[in-house]
Amino acid sequence: MSHAAQIVDDRAASTGSLSGAEEPAGHPHGVRATARIRATYNGRATTLPQLRSDGPFHLRRMRTDGNSAKVGIIGAMSAPLGGDRLTIDVTVEDRALLEVTTAAATLALRGPTAAPATYDVRLTAGEHAGLRWLPRPLISAADSNLRQTCHVELASTARLLLREEQILGRANEDPGHLVSRLLVHRAGRPLLDQQTAYGNPEPGWDGPARLHGHRAVGQLLLVDPKMGTRHDPVLLRTGSRDGCAVLTPLADGRALLATAVAPTSSVLRELLDEALAHALRG
């Protein structure tokens, strides 16, 4: 049995014995794992010649209609914990169509070390390819420490729908420390480079100029070369108690970014869905 597989077994066993407020003990050295997905177009439909599960990531083909492919990511153990180094690498080759989702929310927990966990997502889409990256929320539990990055490389004719949702703390608890960066290149040029940081020791992260007490944050990015070039910013729901979202065009002219804050995950999803519907109408 490989070292990574042994860690998976040990952590899965510890997770199965949890009760109440107990947390998984994890592994003192953390998990190093890279899962890979590669989608290609064979002239009739999208196929998946590479579907490599690793560490906490179990990849499963899902049934779809038409010529697209869909992959579900199932968590095989508690992750990410402090010290983990996790990567998902997705490549959608020319003319392929792929959707990736997760079976459940990702829960960032404290680990046996104070070192931060890293969770890197690398997305690449070729010419006339379509990629939908639609994971369930990331939950930043108390005392966790996570650095999350999403690096996207798009060809000039590629289409992308990307959704990120982050829940800051579970019920009646403060969040951990979460730093998240989204970096997108289109046709080799920067399209978006955005970083957010929440939880202690970030100064003012919960103040009125940022979250104002909300605990659900998210964004939705739509990139489509066929999109009209004229879009005005749109503010969705101005009541701060119920959350709000803003839909803005990016300088590229072929991309729209929605950013939302909300009191709960369900309201956050409603806001992002509303922003997407507005973007598609435009």
Side-chain angles (χ1 to χ4, degrees):
M1 179 181 292
S2 69
H3 178 63
Q6 183 63 56
I7 294 174
V8 171
D9 287 348
D10 292 346
R11 193 176 288 182
S14 67
T15 303
S17 64
L18 291 179
S19 62
E22 295 178 12
E23 302 285 9
H27 190 279
H29 305 298
V31 173
R32 273 62 174 169
T34 300
R36 300 185 187 278
I37 303 170
R38 183 165 64 92
T40 63
Y41 181 65
N42 64 8
R44 300 182 305 276
T46 299
T47 62
L48 298 168
Q50 185 177 37
L51 207 60
R52 179 179 182 270
S53 301
D54 192 19
F57 304 121
H58 176 70
L59 308 179
R60 177 175 294 179
R61 290 177 173 87
M62 303 179 70
R63 185 173 299 177
T64 62
D65 297 325
N67 61 356
S68 63
K70 185 175 182 179
V71 174
I73 302 173
I74 300 173
M77 64 183 183
S78 297
L81 305 184
D84 288 352
R85 300 290 183 266
L86 307 178
T87 301
I88 296 179
D89 194 320
V90 180
T91 300
V92 185
E93 297 186 357
D94 295 355
R95 299 187 180 278
L97 303 174
L98 176 67
E99 178 176 328
V100 182
T101 186
T102 56
T106 298
L107 181 60
L109 295 167
R110 63 175 174 82
T113 171
T118 62
Y119 182 15
D120 297 325
V121 176
R122 304 168 187 168
L123 308 176
T124 304
E127 298 292 348
H128 302 285
L131 173 59
R132 294 164 59 90
W133 175 257
L134 304 173
R136 293 184 180 273
L138 167 69
I139 302 172
S140 175
D143 300 321
S144 63
N145 190 357
L146 178 63
R147 305 290 187 271
Q148 176 181 256
T149 60
C150 183
H151 192 165
V152 185
E153 294 285 346
L154 301 174
S156 61
T157 55
R159 302 184 307 278
L160 172 72
L161 176 60
L162 178 148
R163 185 182 67 223
E164 287 188 335
E165 301 172 52
Q166 297 160 346
I167 310 303
L168 305 177
R170 295 171 292 188
N172 300 316
E173 77 171 10
D174 292 329
H177 186 206
L178 173 62
V179 179
S180 179
R181 185 183 182 190
L182 174 60
L183 177 62
V184 183
H185 287 84
R186 180 173 180 265
R189 301 180 63 183
L191 175 63
L192 176 67
D193 190 349
Q194 177 174 287
Q195 179 168 299
T196 56
Y198 305 107
N200 292 327
E202 300 297 333
W205 68 272
D206 196 25
R210 298 185 68 179
L211 297 184
H212 197 53
H214 291 307
R215 287 295 182 267
V217 297
Q219 55 192 351
L220 184 141
L221 175 64
L222 177 65
V223 181
D224 189 338
K226 297 181 180 180
M227 187 183 301
T229 57
R230 296 191 63 182
H231 291 275
D232 294 324
V234 177
L235 185 62
L236 306 171
R237 297 192 197 178
T238 58
S240 60
R241 177 178 298 179
D242 297 327
C244 61
V246 61
L247 179 67
T248 58
L250 299 183
D252 180 271
R254 297 290 188 267
L256 293 171
L257 176 68
T259 304
V261 297
T264 65
S265 60
S266 59
V267 174
L268 177 67
R269 177 63 61 86
E270 290 175 4
L271 283 167
L272 294 178
D273 287 347
E274 186 177 343
L276 177 59
H278 194 283
L280 295 177
R281 285 196 303 267

